[in-house]
Amino acid sequence: MKNTALTDIHIKAGAKIVPFAGYNMPVQYAGINAEHETVRKAVGVFDVSHMGEFILKGDHAIDLIQKVSSNDAAKLYDGKVQYSCLPNEDGGIVDDLLVYRIDEKTYMLVVNASNIDKDWDWISKYNTWGVDMKNISDRTSLLAIQGPKAAEALQSLTDIDLPSMEYYTFKKGKFAGIDNVVVSATGYTGAGGFEVYFDNEHAEHIWNAIFKAGEPFGIKPIGLGARDTLRLEMGFCLYGNDINDTTSPLEAGLGWVTKFTKDFVNSDALQAQKQQGVSKKLVGFEMIDRGIPRHDYEIVDADGNNIGTVTSGTQSPSLQKAIGMGYVKNEFAKEGAEIFISIRDNKVKAKVVKPPFYK
């Protein structure tokens, strides 16, 4: 297992450390529900330095990105971020990712920790233009400072005007006295906030500076457990659960990042799938009867026939009800449709709802 530059600090802070995507990561400190509430109501800090970062540079960097990703990166401008996915050749998804345009010839791709090597090999396979690629994952730290008080908590650390930053934009500047820090108005919680990228050598200094500046705002360290409940309340996909090598972006509701105005890997087959329609869809659902849905639980109809599979599920801390996502046959994908989750051989009633669960 790898450590992040902050693992020792998490241990000293009393975090419960678990292996995740090849790293020792903090899953919780004070408890998932308390940490979840901190992010929804105030501000919390996640160490997500396990994520991968690639720099693509050169005249044809955009051509390579356009070939391997489904969204239209030509719409990016300097300082803009885009959510996208890497389709495979069989109709599934290699990974979902963020694309940062630093300048016309320089881009940063942010990928999931468990897929760093896989994604690197996949993108390299299509690099027929000789684009300069650098994997900076092992030397880059990433903190997500999330919650409604994030801008106030961080503003004293930088001359970047944080409240004026638009969602999915970034700026590079001085942060906590360190030059060339990337501050991005992104995050996977739905609570607002920022993600901050910097070299590992500055990790402890920046962590301490954030907590000192955020103290008046009730800032707390947050583990990956709350990150999962927060993203699920928003209906955000988690790679390995809700999307993978066998799920189509169209089945997963990612048609909005699948642009057929350009040629990309498997675009012809995906366009044909769009025209023909998919046979199953990823839906959100709320439990009506008592029970918590879990990954890989069977979804059945009123007669007990299999109609799909749960991909994510939890007891929502914000809503005080059990929620989940899963793939179901098309005829059960309509909002309000009655479905049942098979929990210990019992049919437990649920209904299809449109995410986000937390409004």
Side-chain angles (χ1 to χ4, degrees):
M1 288 291 140
K2 292 180 181 178
N3 291 327
T4 76
L6 294 162
T7 302
D8 288 344
I9 284 178
H10 302 316
I11 292 167
K12 283 176 194 161
K16 180 183 177 185
I17 304 290
V18 299
F20 180 82
Y23 283 79
N24 292 311
M25 297 298 292
V27 69
Q28 63 180 48
Y29 300 81
I32 290 172
N33 286 0
E35 291 168 32
H36 182 109
E37 190 169 332
T38 293
V39 175
R40 282 276 178 254
K41 294 183 177 173
V43 56
V45 183
F46 303 80
D47 178 10
V48 281
S49 304
H50 60 317
M51 299 291 281
E53 295 87 14
F54 307 152
I55 301 293
L56 272 55
K57 199 165 189 171
D59 292 341
H60 294 286
I62 185 63
D63 297 314
L64 176 55
I65 291 165
Q66 289 287 69
K67 181 64 181 174
V68 297
S69 67
S70 62
N71 209 339
D72 187 2
K75 292 186 175 173
L76 289 170
Y77 50 84
D78 294 359
K80 181 66 177 163
V81 190
Q82 184 181 74
Y83 179 70
S84 191
C85 70
L86 304 174
N88 65 24
E89 289 157 352
D90 307 309
I93 300 169
V94 177
D95 202 5
D96 61 338
L97 75 161
L98 294 181
V99 181
Y100 284 66
R101 175 167 149 155
I102 295 165
D103 61 45
E104 191 182 357
K105 297 182 180 180
T106 315
Y107 296 79
M108 179 169 73
L109 309 184
V110 182
V111 303
N112 284 298
S114 54
N115 292 335
I116 292 172
D117 292 339
K118 180 176 83 161
D119 292 358
W120 178 265
D121 292 344
W122 183 259
I123 296 165
S124 299
K125 172 182 168 181
Y126 288 95
N127 187 11
T128 55
W129 294 275
V131 173
D132 180 34
M133 292 174 54
K134 283 195 174 68
N135 182 353
I136 61 167
S137 308
D138 284 345
R139 64 178 174 86
T140 304
S141 288
L142 171 57
L143 297 178
I145 303 94
Q146 298 283 293
K149 295 182 181 175
E152 289 177 276
L154 298 180
Q155 189 59 76
S156 65
L157 298 175
T158 181
D159 53 9
I160 296 169
D161 184 8
L162 299 177
S164 72
M165 285 183 69
E166 292 177 15
Y167 192 43
Y168 269 65
T169 64
F170 72 96
K171 288 186 177 169
K172 198 184 259 197
K174 189 170 272 198
F175 185 91
I178 306 300
D179 288 323
N180 289 321
V181 173
V182 171
V183 179
S184 175
T186 51
Y188 224 54
T189 65
F194 303 89
E195 293 183 300
V196 183
Y197 299 80
F198 48 88
D199 287 341
N200 287 344
E201 64 191 279
H202 305 303
E204 192 167 342
H205 167 78
I206 288 179
W207 175 272
N208 290 335
I210 287 170
F211 276 89
K212 188 176 178 186
E215 195 175 351
F217 304 94
I219 201 165
K220 296 268 173 37
I222 312 294
L224 292 183
R227 189 170 187 248
D228 194 49
T229 56
L230 288 156
R231 70 91 194 166
L232 184 48
E233 285 185 348
M234 300 310 296
F236 294 155
C237 290
L238 176 66
Y239 194 90
N241 280 43
D242 312 298
I243 51 176
N244 59 38
D245 288 301
T246 67
T247 56
S248 151
L250 302 178
E251 293 170 343
L254 297 177
W256 62 282
V257 298
T258 310
K259 303 291 169 61
F260 297 111
T261 50
K262 59 170 196 146
D263 175 48
F264 59 86
V265 173
N266 207 43
S267 56
D268 288 347
L270 286 172
Q271 189 159 23
Q273 185 185 63
K274 184 181 180 180
Q275 286 161 355
Q276 292 159 8
V278 295
S279 59
K280 63 177 182 178
K281 285 182 182 170
L282 183 65
V283 298
F285 60 85
E286 288 179 355
M287 300 303 296
I288 295 170
D289 294 339
R290 193 178 173 85
I292 299 176
R294 300 293 184 197
H295 179 66
D296 274 349
Y297 280 12
E298 197 177 9
I299 304 176
V300 297
D301 64 14
D303 297 322
N305 301 307
N306 178 284
I307 57 165
T309 309
V310 175
T311 56
S312 290
T314 194
Q315 176 74 14
S316 161
S318 301
L319 305 172
Q320 296 296 301
K321 63 172 79 167
I323 59 172
M325 300 200 306
Y327 286 92
V328 296
K329 290 179 180 175
N330 240 354
E331 57 265 39
F332 295 91
K334 280 201 181 87
E335 198 172 349
E338 186 177 85
I339 59 174
F340 297 83
I341 313 303
S342 182
I343 302 177
R344 289 185 287 278
D345 295 328
N346 293 319
K347 284 191 312 180
V348 184
K349 191 186 287 187
K351 71 171 178 181
V352 173
V353 297
K354 189 176 180 182
F357 302 95
Y358 179 80
K359 306 290 194 288

